[in-house]
Amino acid sequence: MNYSKRDAKAYARENMTGIWAAALNPFNDDLSLDEVGLRSNIRHWIDDLDIQGLFVAGKQGEFFSMTLDERKRNFEIAVDECAGKAGVIVSVSDQNVDTALDLARHAQNCGADYIVLHAPVLSFVQDRGEVLYQYYKRFCDELDIGIAMWSHPDSGYLMQPEECARIADLPNIVAIKYSVPREMYVKLTHMVGDKIHVSTSAEHEWLDNILELDWKLYLCSSPPYQLQTKNDQRMNEYTRLAFAGKADEARKVFDSLNPVRDAMKRTKPAGKPTAFGKYWQELLGQVGGRVRPPMLELTEAEKEIIRKGFAECGLKP
């Protein structure tokens, strides 16, 4: 690692910045991991789209359908391809603590920059504060790598800002991906100051969060490589303008992406978000591939609707 445990927060404040994208994993027709396709996508994301970091083996990457060996291999490929040109944060999330720790140690040993660990499902638990604190404390005690919390509705609850702020005091907690209503992450941002990065995956809120909350990190989802091409990098452009304090110029560029956002929203089948994302990648010239069960594939009729929306959205190839 490039930092010590005690320096994790400072290192992340300095280096875990900009746009970090969550990688979809391409699967072959036989549902094996398409390593060649994944490497090709990563090269495009870094070399052509200037994405600053990748979130690997998360929900977007269908980690829930992968074996432990596949997840570890996923980590290794990302670290190998990023090779100091972009940061790597990997999801070690698992309901079994020993499994999550095993994945975390592999991430630490193979050269990942950070790990992300989602809040566990807590059946029957009503008072979650101490449970969550002790959960994250165990990972901090046993690991040196920087850790990002991750709270989202899939856990069956949302971590409260007060709970997150307490956990943020642990030495190698460096960030949180906070998939919650805006008022909650605004409150947490004010509570923790510059102690950790607070971020959410909603691209349509990213500009406001730079301008109003002084956020430095987009962590993360697929828009950085679905709203952009090698010759059309408006997300990067409005981000740079906002970081430079040029709010009006940034807003103009941001608003120009509304037709793309609208096309994606209205053509995405409600029950097939992953298959949609992969097909949109294919229309952009990236490697999409199959989805694994329990996720569902697109029908030909759904693909036709998406193709039409893509052709009309105004993205420049």
Side-chain angles (χ1 to χ4, degrees), residues 94-114:
D94 196 272
Q95 192 63 15
N96 182 281
V97 171
D98 289 338
T99 297
L101 281 168
D102 178 37
L103 289 166
R105 293 187 183 101
H106 187 77
Q108 189 169 268
N109 293 336
C110 79
D113 295 292
Y114 315 97

Side-chain angles (χ1 to χ4, degrees), residues 267-279:
T267 65
K268 182 189 297 184
K272 302 178 180 180
T274 310
F276 169 84
K278 291 185 179 187
Y279 189 60

Side-chain angles (χ1 to χ4, degrees), residues 11-295:
Y11 183 86
R13 289 302 302 178
E14 182 69 23
N15 295 280
M16 194 181 188
T17 58
I19 294 174
W20 289 48
L24 288 158
N25 274 323
F27 296 115
N28 293 305
D29 286 342
D30 65 0
L31 297 185
S32 61
L33 179 63
D34 182 355
E35 294 192 10
V36 173
L38 177 59
R39 288 180 183 275
S40 174
N41 284 345
I42 292 173
R43 291 266 52 83
H44 170 62
W45 298 338
I46 296 172
D47 298 341
D48 298 332
L49 303 184
D50 196 29
I51 291 173
Q52 280 84 59
L54 296 182
F55 182 121
V56 177
K59 290 195 296 179
Q60 296 276 3
E62 299 173 76
F63 82 87
F64 44 79
S65 71
M66 299 173 74
T67 67
L68 295 186
D69 285 343
E70 286 176 321
R71 293 176 72 181
K72 291 177 180 179
R73 182 60 180 158
N74 206 179
F75 299 176
E76 294 165 359
I77 291 169
V79 169
D80 182 48
E81 287 296 332
C82 289
K85 295 181 179 180
V88 177
I89 183 169
V90 301
S91 171
V92 303
S93 301
D94 196 272
Q95 192 63 15
N96 182 281
V97 171
D98 289 338
T99 297
L101 281 168
D102 178 37
L103 289 166
R105 293 187 183 101
H106 187 77
Q108 189 169 268
N109 293 336
C110 79
D113 295 292
Y114 315 97
I115 63 170
V116 63
L117 180 67
H118 72 54
V121 175
L122 296 176
S123 301
F124 312 117
V125 175
Q126 300 299 314
D127 186 3
R128 292 182 293 266
E130 186 64 19
V131 179
L132 289 168
Y133 180 79
Q134 293 299 331
Y135 180 77
Y136 280 100
K137 184 177 184 299
R138 178 170 179 185
F139 284 86
C140 288
D141 287 346
E142 297 196 25
L143 301 166
D144 295 323
I145 196 168
I147 300 170
M149 295 177 277
W150 186 7
S151 180
H152 53 72
D154 293 358
S155 295
Y157 62 92
L158 297 176
M159 293 172 65
Q160 295 302 301
E162 294 80 6
E163 295 167 339
C164 299
R166 182 187 178 199
I167 295 167
D169 285 332
L170 293 168
N172 44 329
I173 296 291
V174 301
I176 181 170
K177 182 178 179 181
Y178 207 22
S179 304
V180 298
R182 193 168 193 268
E183 60 268 20
M184 291 179 68
Y185 69 66
V186 169
K187 182 177 182 179
L188 179 60
T189 300
H190 293 317
M191 292 177 73
V192 298
D194 63 357
K195 190 180 300 180
I196 66 169
H197 287 292
V198 179
S199 188
T200 194
S201 60
E203 181 275 332
H204 65 279
E205 298 175 1
W206 171 228
L207 177 59
D208 287 337
N209 293 334
I210 299 172
L211 298 175
E212 297 174 14
L213 300 176
D214 197 31
W215 279 14
K216 297 293 191 291
L217 173 66
Y218 176 80
L219 182 76
C220 54
S221 191
S222 50
Y225 57 82
Q226 292 177 336
L227 294 178
Q228 302 193 106
T229 71
K230 185 175 182 178
N231 298 311
D232 188 346
Q233 298 185 28
R234 281 175 279 173
M235 185 176 179
N236 285 343
E237 184 181 356
Y238 81 67
T239 298
R240 285 192 294 268
L241 290 166
F243 280 167
K246 299 178 180 179
D248 291 342
E249 294 177 56
R251 182 73 62 188
K252 183 177 180 179
V253 177
F254 174 87
D255 288 344
S256 75
L257 280 169
N258 282 337
V260 187
R261 297 185 187 99
D262 176 68
M264 295 182 72
K265 182 178 180 179
R266 62 185 168 79
T267 65
K268 182 189 297 184
K272 302 178 180 180
T274 310
F276 169 84
K278 291 185 179 187
Y279 189 60
W280 193 270
Q281 281 184 266
E282 292 177 5
L283 296 175
L284 287 165
Q286 301 172 35
V287 181
R290 296 280 306 280
V291 297
R292 281 182 173 176
M295 308 310 289

